[in-house]
Amino acid sequence: YICSRAMTFPMTTYNDLVQHFESIGLCKDQAVVVHSKLLSFGRIEGGVESVFKALQQVVGPKGTLVFPTYTLHLSSEDIYNPDTTPVYRMGALSEYVRKTPGVSRSNCPMHSHCALGPLAEKVVKANPEQSLGPGSSFAVMRETGFYLLLLGCDFQEGATFVHHVESEVGVPYRSWLKLPRIRQDRSGRLIKMICQYYGHKNSGRYKNSLHNVQIEMEKSNAMNTIAAPLGRSFFMSLEDLYVSTSKMLKESPYALVTECSIN
């Protein structure tokens, strides 16, 4: 059976985006890290550029915007170059911003971020050998009062900051791993480094279920959420997310994981 009437795919305009950002709580001079799934907005008039420019308009020139440009797929033999290595599975917005003139990118070969605005340098100058935990760009963003915008994506899809909280609290299903990586600087020099990563002890036994944090944040009223045409967006301070998540983990160390069935 073939439906003769084509589905209408929603169109989102630039003004729609500005209204969406303002309605969820973004405002002038804020520092915001943005994780996104643009499919939640259907067809976007002007494409990814419209999203980026709308964000810039709402936070203004004194605001700071940060985007995840992670490369967790790289091995110990691969070379990470902050200027040229593409984003891996972080969405079209992050890849667009990465290639935008005037945007800086951090040197961490696992959890890099690209940034622009007054606080950009602090974020990108974080310890490149610390992918999570103290000294990482996640720690810097929390310390400098950043907010998190999950644009059209839920916690499971975009709340990477929660893994930073896991590393600081210390959870029984993860441990610190020292992973060799190679970074290339602008002169072409290859730099061998050890990246500290807080990974699962047994990747087949547990999987993260970050929806539990989402429920907790909704209960605490520390988060704004509004509908997107084909999904939802969430907005909160990293400090509130840190407090809520660490409280959950201290009360129940396995609160953010489910045990996988082993056949």
Side-chain angles (χ1 to χ4, degrees), residues 7-60:
M7 276 185 62
T8 57
F9 209 49
M11 169 67 79
T12 299
T13 66
Y14 179 86
N15 288 336
D16 292 334
L17 290 166
V18 170
Q19 184 177 5
H20 188 85
F21 300 149
E22 291 176 342
S23 296
I24 205 170
L26 265 73
C27 59
K28 295 290 184 190
D29 305 342
Q30 277 179 333
V32 187
V33 54
V34 183
H35 288 248
S36 60
K37 184 171 76 173
L38 298 188
L39 184 63
S40 296
F41 292 85
R43 292 180 297 156
I44 298 174
E45 191 175 49
V48 140
E49 183 181 6
S50 285
V51 182
F52 182 50
K53 288 188 173 179
L55 284 166
Q56 286 183 294
Q57 177 179 323
V58 174
V59 302

Side-chain angles (χ1 to χ4, degrees), residues 19 41 43 73 94 96 110 122 131 160 183 200:
Q19 184 177 5
F41 292 85
R43 292 180 297 156
H73 66 300
S94 286
Y96 173 84
M110 298 186 72
K122 287 189 176 183
S131 76
T160 310
R183 174 170 63 88
H200 277 269

Side-chain angles (χ1 to χ4, degrees), residues 150-238:
L150 298 178
L151 183 60
C153 61
D154 62 22
F155 276 59
Q156 190 69 23
E157 295 166 314
T160 310
F161 181 80
V162 169
H163 300 315
H164 165 68
V165 184
E166 287 178 316
S167 76
E168 294 215 333
V169 172
V171 291
Y173 48 88
R174 287 180 181 262
S175 62
W176 285 107
L177 304 174
K178 295 182 178 182
L179 304 178
R181 291 293 184 268
I182 303 172
R183 174 170 63 88
Q184 186 174 37
D185 66 15
R186 287 186 173 174
S187 70
R189 181 172 57 115
L190 297 181
I191 302 167
K192 291 185 177 181
M193 54 192 292
I194 298 296
C195 203
Q196 303 280 344
Y197 176 66
Y198 199 60
H200 277 269
K201 291 179 181 178
N202 185 338
S203 59
R205 183 170 181 184
Y206 296 102
K207 65 177 180 179
N208 274 101
S209 179
L210 303 189
H211 186 65
N212 294 339
V213 188
Q214 183 174 317
I215 293 170
E216 193 65 26
M217 289 294 290
E218 287 170 343
K219 286 180 184 175
S220 69
N221 294 317
M223 176 176 70
N224 298 336
T225 178
I226 59 172
L230 299 171
R232 294 198 72 78
S233 295
F234 304 86
F235 185 67
M236 71 220 78
S237 75
L238 289 183

Side-chain angles (χ1 to χ4, degrees), residues 66-203:
V66 170
F67 302 84
T69 51
Y70 307 155
T71 48
L72 294 170
H73 66 300
L74 297 181
S75 73
S76 60
E77 304 299 319
D78 294 318
I79 297 171
Y80 168 69
N81 184 319
D83 293 333
T84 60
T85 302
V87 176
Y88 180 68
R89 298 177 66 179
M90 297 308 300
L93 180 58
S94 286
E95 179 63 5
Y96 173 84
V97 177
R98 179 190 73 79
K99 296 186 288 187
T100 299
V103 172
S104 304
R105 188 182 187 185
S106 62
N107 287 328
C108 180
M110 298 186 72
H111 284 110
S112 67
H113 291 90
C114 61
L116 69 160
L119 295 176
E121 187 172 359
K122 287 189 176 183
V123 175
V124 301
K125 295 296 184 184
N127 185 354
E129 295 185 339
Q130 201 72 35
S131 76
L132 298 162
S136 68
S137 51
F138 294 100
V140 170
M141 286 189 286
R142 179 198 167 203
E143 291 160 5
T144 49
F146 268 75
Y147 286 78
L148 170 64
L149 172 61
L150 298 178
L151 183 60
C153 61
D154 62 22
F155 276 59
Q156 190 69 23
E157 295 166 314
T160 310
F161 181 80
V162 169
H163 300 315
H164 165 68
V165 184
E166 287 178 316
S167 76
E168 294 215 333
V169 172
V171 291
Y173 48 88
R174 287 180 181 262
S175 62
W176 285 107
L177 304 174
K178 295 182 178 182
L179 304 178
R181 291 293 184 268
I182 303 172
R183 174 170 63 88
Q184 186 174 37
D185 66 15
R186 287 186 173 174
S187 70
R189 181 172 57 115
L190 297 181
I191 302 167
K192 291 185 177 181
M193 54 192 292
I194 298 296
C195 203
Q196 303 280 344
Y197 176 66
Y198 199 60
H200 277 269
K201 291 179 181 178
N202 185 338
S203 59

